[in-house]
């Protein structure tokens, strides 16, 4: 199931559907699972005034985070096209007006975790934890909580707090690992730069796709804006190690 997902949505594969869309104009039929993915991207696109968009693929690739992981920015960098100008989506079909390189990195892994969780649940396994590189889904039929450490973005051997959850998901994002030149993996498509006003952030939500998507979107908008649309908890860590945390965030931040 993971392989099927990868062959559809990966921009790093030459044989994926996304790779095909990047090469020629057309109408493309996606698997049924694309509906939730496009739906959340569209909502985030609107909430962030276009700053979170699946059309960021060409931009990220041009900056060096490409299929070959060259990490060498091109001399000329172009801003991504606007969603409605180059493509339209009516489930399950995506129609493009020009070749576009889509990138689903901001929510795709979270969604795949949810899909795997459904498979595990259908196998009648009711207590499990999925950890995909720090994006985590917890299910505890007994309501026993899992305790998860929040990594110190300045020292990978330390944690700066913990979260305890029995059911739900936690995703974090920081520019501390995937960093090259003057960029990290989150790019503002209007300024062509990586946000540096936030050191790291974590989002807790019922689904991993939502937690994953918000862990990117909150680099561009205040959490209060997103809370008008979604239910979630958050902890934002700023460069001076001050924090902003929601009232019901299910964890603690170590103060010393």
């Amino acid at each position: 199931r993971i392989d099927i997902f990868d062959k559809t949505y990966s921009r790093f594969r030459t044989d994926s559907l996304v790779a095909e869309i990047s090469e020629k104009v057309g109408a493309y039929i996606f698997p049924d699972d694309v509906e939730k993915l496009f739906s959340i991207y569209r909502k985030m696109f609107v909430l962030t005034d276009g700053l979170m968009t699946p059309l960021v693929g060409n931009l990220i690739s041009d900056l060096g985070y490409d299929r070959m992981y060259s990490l060498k920015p091109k001399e000329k960098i172009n801003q991504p096209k606007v969603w409605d100008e180059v493509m339209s989506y009516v489930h399950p079909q995506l129609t493009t007006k020009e070749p576009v390189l889509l990138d689903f990195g901001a929510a795709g892994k979270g969604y795949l975790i949810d899909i795997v969780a459904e498979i595990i649940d259908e196998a009648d396994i009711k207590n499990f934890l999925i950890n995909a590189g720090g994006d985590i889904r917890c299910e505890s039929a007994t309501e026993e909580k899992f305790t998860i450490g929040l990594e110190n973005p300045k020292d990978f051997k330390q944690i700066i707090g913990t979260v305890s959850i029995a059911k739900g998901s936690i995703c974090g994002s920081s520019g501390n690992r995937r960093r090259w030149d003057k960029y990290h993996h989150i790019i503002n498509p209007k300024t062509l730069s990586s946000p540096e006003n936030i050191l790291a952030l974590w989002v807790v939500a019922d689904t991993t796709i939502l937690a994953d998507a918000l862990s990117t979107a909150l680099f561009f908008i205040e959490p209060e804006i997103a809370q008008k649309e979604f239910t979630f908890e958050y902890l934002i860590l700023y460069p001076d190690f001050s924090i902003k945390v929601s009232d019901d965030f299910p964890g603690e931040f170590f103060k010393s």
Side-chain angles (χ1 to χ4, degrees), residues 27-47:
Y28 298 91
I29 302 299
F30 276 82
D32 281 341
D33 58 39
V34 78
E35 189 168 19
K36 287 184 180 179
L37 200 53
F38 266 112
S39 175
I40 200 160
Y41 264 98
R42 185 66 188 189
K43 290 177 180 178
M44 297 299 176
F45 178 81
V46 173
L47 280 176

Side-chain angles (χ1 to χ4, degrees), residues 189-210:
K190 292 185 178 179
T191 64
L192 305 183
S193 62
S194 293
E196 299 291 355
N197 59 313
I198 292 175
L199 189 59
L201 61 82
W202 294 267
V203 176
V204 175
D206 288 342
T207 62
T208 327
I209 186 175
L210 178 57

Side-chain angles (χ1 to χ4, degrees), residues 1-18:
R1 184 64 184 86
I2 293 172
D3 193 49
I4 292 171
F5 194 91
D6 196 48
K7 285 181 178 178
T8 303
Y9 301 109
S10 175
R11 70 175 176 89
F12 296 100
R13 298 179 63 133
T14 59
D15 61 346
S16 69
L17 180 58
V18 162

Side-chain angles (χ1 to χ4, degrees), residues 10-183:
S10 175
R11 70 175 176 89
F12 296 100
R13 298 179 63 133
T14 59
D15 61 346
S16 69
L17 180 58
V18 162
E20 184 179 354
I21 294 169
S22 73
E23 295 172 355
K24 58 183 180 181
V25 173
Y28 298 91
I29 302 299
F30 276 82
D32 281 341
D33 58 39
V34 78
E35 189 168 19
K36 287 184 180 179
L37 200 53
F38 266 112
S39 175
I40 200 160
Y41 264 98
R42 185 66 188 189
K43 290 177 180 178
M44 297 299 176
F45 178 81
V46 173
L47 280 176
T48 63
D49 194 24
L51 296 182
M52 181 171 163
T53 169
L55 289 163
V56 77
N58 280 115
L59 171 59
I60 295 178
S61 183
D62 286 348
L63 290 174
Y65 196 25
D66 50 33
R67 185 176 292 155
M68 304 303 295
Y69 291 93
S70 69
L71 305 182
K72 295 180 179 179
K74 294 181 178 179
E75 289 187 10
K76 184 179 180 182
I77 308 296
N78 296 308
Q79 289 181 329
K81 299 298 179 82
V82 177
W83 188 314
D84 295 325
E85 292 179 355
V86 295
M87 68 181 189
S88 61
Y89 166 73
V90 179
H91 184 72
Q93 180 174 291
L94 177 73
T95 303
T96 60
K97 299 177 183 178
E98 61 181 76
V100 291
L101 180 58
L102 301 174
D103 180 273
F104 294 103
K109 184 169 68 171
Y111 189 25
L112 182 55
I113 292 170
D114 289 338
I115 291 172
V116 171
E118 289 178 4
I119 294 171
I120 295 172
D121 183 68
E122 289 169 1
D124 205 32
I125 299 171
K126 303 301 181 184
N127 292 281
F128 60 86
L129 180 146
I130 302 170
N131 181 1
D135 293 335
I136 296 172
R137 170 78 178 257
C138 302
E139 292 294 334
S140 173
T142 62
E143 296 296 326
E144 182 178 354
K145 293 183 178 181
F146 298 91
T147 299
I148 299 160
L150 306 178
E151 181 184 83
N152 182 348
K154 294 291 189 179
D155 186 344
F156 299 155
K157 296 180 181 180
Q158 293 182 348
I159 61 172
I160 57 175
T162 60
V163 165
S164 296
I165 51 178
K167 293 184 178 182
S169 302
I170 178 169
C171 293
S173 193
S174 173
N176 61 342
R177 290 186 180 271
R178 285 174 285 174
R179 180 178 285 274
W180 72 100
D181 198 71
K182 56 183 178 181
Y183 307 103

